[in-house]
Amino acid sequence: MKLKRIDTYTETDLPAAQRVAAPGQAYGTDQHGSAVPAGDAGADWIVRRNAVGLRQAFAIAEAWELPQAALGTLLGTVPRNLQRWRQQVEAGEGLNLSADTVERLSYLLGIWKALGILLPTPANRLLWLRNANTDAPFNGQAPLARLLAGQVADLYVVRHYLDGARS
């Protein structure tokens, strides 16, 4: 799809899989440049997207046997915020997240997906995350240790490494 140099799109400008509003609905872009329905519909879509992403992040933390503080480090926040977000998600409420948190969520979900493709069993995924790795991005430390260093760049490096392994 060729990008237009304008702020809004009509529903026919997007592939059917990316359409999230009724035909004829105008589209704008969110803070990450993704097409979303314009106006209030776009704002609603963003808070729903955030809730879905957080719900998946909580499931990832459980699958990886991470304490709440570790998930907080991955998402760049403190456990107190995680608890509030969990309550909001469980109550079916949408929530606004910072661009930094959404970026971290995106990397975390990409890492989860890549590991699921490369290592189909949960036990192998945990072993890969927790065992020392001599490849360049890890320098003998476990990939999980790199992820828990706390910087967005660390999430990016692990995601990029896994994307490279997939190709």
Side-chain angles (χ1 to χ4, degrees):
M1 171 179 79
K2 184 176 178 185
L3 293 177
K4 291 187 172 186
R5 297 186 65 99
I6 57 174
D7 248 356
T8 60
Y9 304 87
T10 64
E11 66 96 24
T12 57
D13 293 327
L14 297 172
Q18 294 179 3
R19 296 181 192 154
V20 292
Q25 168 74 48
Y27 285 80
T29 55
D30 67 6
Q31 71 244 33
H32 309 289
S34 300
V36 297
D40 291 341
D44 290 343
W45 184 83
I46 290 169
V47 297
R48 286 193 319 267
R49 175 204 61 195
N50 292 345
V52 169
L54 278 175
R55 195 174 301 118
Q56 185 64 35
F58 293 134
I60 291 169
E62 186 175 320
W64 289 354
E65 303 168 359
L66 297 178
Q68 194 161 331
L71 179 58
T73 300
L74 290 174
L75 297 180
T77 192
V78 294
R80 169 178 73 248
N81 285 344
L82 283 177
Q83 187 59 37
R84 183 173 43 86
W85 292 345
R86 183 183 298 270
Q87 290 169 349
Q88 287 178 283
V89 167
E90 288 173 356
E93 299 173 20
L95 43 130
N96 290 308
L97 299 173
S98 70
D100 178 71
T101 302
V102 172
E103 182 179 10
R104 288 168 178 271
L105 268 173
S106 175
Y107 287 133
L108 181 61
L109 296 175
I111 291 165
W112 172 259
K113 179 180 179 181
L115 285 174
I117 292 168
L118 294 168
L119 304 167
T121 64
N124 285 344
R125 287 180 221 140
L126 275 178
L127 284 172
W128 186 85
L129 282 168
R130 296 180 187 279
N131 288 332
N133 190 324
T134 57
D135 289 347
F138 308 111
N139 297 321
Q141 68 180 350
L144 186 58
R146 177 75 192 251
L147 290 172
L148 293 174
Q151 301 299 314
V152 174
D154 297 309
L155 294 167
Y156 167 80
V157 166
V158 175
R159 166 88 187 265
H160 185 70
Y161 173 85
L162 291 170
D163 286 347
R166 286 177 45 196
S167 26

